[in-house]
Amino acid sequence: MTQPAAENILPVDINEALGERYLAYALSTITSRSLPDVRDGLKPVQRRLLYAMQQLRLDPAGGFKKCARVVGDVIGKYHPHGDVAVYDALVRLAQEFAQRYRLVDGQGNFGNVDGDNAAAMRYTEARLTPIAMALLEGIDEDTVDFRDTYDGSESEPVVLPAAFPNLLANGSAGIAVGMATSIPPHNAAELIEALVFMLARPADAPPIGTEELVGFVKGPDLPTGGVLVEPPGAILDAYASGRGSFRLRARWEVEKLAHGQYQVVVTEIP
């Protein structure tokens, strides 16, 4: 085996080498896997799933296609990862108990809130929802930048046009290297009211404060419901600082039975 020439060997400090390489790995994990983009609220695998489904013309007015077809297109063209991870991401976008506003309309067994898994991708079918179409609206009109895919054979959007406040409406959670995020979902009508208020504000008005926005967006709105039991001050502090937790309580009601008996029925489970 040919040995490298002595002049081609450069001494490198081990601490600097490890720092540079780990930083590159960390940035890749943060931007290309674990955390959502603030502009469309999507992680790369979610964005690629929606774009692949749009390319397959799986719009809400059309028919469904097997999830195996969608997953195959995604891993073959855009996302060179395992099919199980990609299918899990697709399933989560279709679960009404996981997404406040579903981005995928699923047909078949997509699991349930009790923890049962979805059926295999060869049995289930999917298409886009109207909310997903709003995220993709105008993508063919040069509204966003495109880049080459991993092998250079295709192009993919860097970010979706996102005519819907998806990051705050659906929330997101992810753990990267050195940082993490956990954004709760919110009511879209409240978010739009807050946006209209911000757009109507005069240009020379002082900056909008968190207290004003909390007047429109009262707090999180989870897909499975529940009663938020935090005081208004705690909610305001969490939004102002970006750190905090929200306690939720199940919603229940009492049903009267015969002979003076009754039963407690839980209608919403956080």
Side-chain angles (χ1 to χ4, degrees), residues 135-166:
L135 289 175
L136 291 156
E137 185 178 344
I139 198 168
D140 296 326
E141 301 170 8
D142 292 330
T143 52
V144 294
D145 292 330
F146 277 70
R147 64 187 172 203
D148 290 340
T149 55
Y150 68 96
D151 62 354
S153 62
E154 303 273 347
S155 62
E156 63 174 341
V158 175
V159 65
L160 298 188
F164 178 76
N166 185 57

Side-chain angles (χ1 to χ4, degrees), residues 229-250:
V229 296
E230 293 293 337
I235 297 174
L236 179 61
D237 289 343
Y239 284 136
S241 65
R243 294 177 178 273
S245 61
F246 298 104
R247 292 174 296 174
L248 287 147
R249 182 177 294 158

Side-chain angles (χ1 to χ4, degrees), residues 42 50 80 88 125 136 146 153 188 191 197 206 223 248 268 270:
L42 297 172
L50 298 185
D88 286 347
E125 298 177 334
L136 291 156
F146 277 70
S153 62
L191 292 172
F197 167 73
L248 287 147
E268 296 178 12

Side-chain angles (χ1 to χ4, degrees), residues 72-199:
D73 270 27
V74 171
I75 64 177
K77 295 181 178 179
Y78 312 110
H79 200 73
H81 292 267
D83 60 333
V84 174
V86 175
Y87 182 51
D88 286 347
L90 173 61
V91 166
R92 185 168 177 80
L93 294 178
Q95 292 174 330
E96 60 183 9
F97 54 87
Q99 297 286 303
R100 180 64 181 83
Y101 301 96
R102 292 183 305 136
L103 303 180
V104 172
D105 182 13
Q107 184 167 265
N109 176 17
F110 278 80
N112 57 42
V113 72
D114 293 326
D116 294 329
N117 294 326
M121 68 179 104
R122 62 182 178 273
Y123 299 123
T124 55
E125 298 177 334
R127 65 183 178 188
L128 296 169
T129 64
I131 298 293
M133 295 302 293
L135 289 175
L136 291 156
E137 185 178 344
I139 198 168
D140 296 326
E141 301 170 8
D142 292 330
T143 52
V144 294
D145 292 330
F146 277 70
R147 64 187 172 203
D148 290 340
T149 55
Y150 68 96
D151 62 354
S153 62
E154 303 273 347
S155 62
E156 63 174 341
V158 175
V159 65
L160 298 188
F164 178 76
N166 185 57
L167 182 67
L168 293 177
N170 269 325
S172 185
I175 301 173
V177 178
M179 61 179 63
T181 187
S182 181
I183 303 171
H186 297 83
N187 186 277
E190 293 178 355
L191 292 172
I192 292 170
E193 286 181 6
L195 289 169
V196 170
F197 167 73
M198 294 172 69
L199 289 171

